[in-house]
Amino acid sequence: VGPYEGLMRARGVEPARYVGELLQTAAALNTSSPDRRAEIVASGLILYNVAFGLAERFLGAIFIWHKIL
């Protein structure tokens, strides 16, 4: 956690809470319904200010790659 403590505190979250939230998110991504997982990913795009067009482009590329395999 040490190398990332500054990042956590910059978001205004204590490291223990931050790690707990990350683990909760990971658990939800592994166990939730497809709709809930999509909601979590969409929330992450908003939280980290990812342009939807870029995300859409990368998702399209990933989809094409998986179809090739």
Side-chain angles (χ1 to χ4, degrees), residues 21-61:
E21 290 175 1
L22 285 174
L23 292 172
Q24 287 175 347
T25 301
L29 286 169
N30 280 288
T31 61
S32 296
S33 69
D35 286 347
R36 178 66 182 128
R37 290 193 308 258
E39 182 183 345
I40 293 167
V41 170
S43 294
L45 293 175
I46 293 166
L47 177 65
Y48 294 104
N49 198 28
V50 176
F52 180 75
L54 287 174
E56 186 177 37
R57 188 175 79 209
F58 282 103
L59 287 170

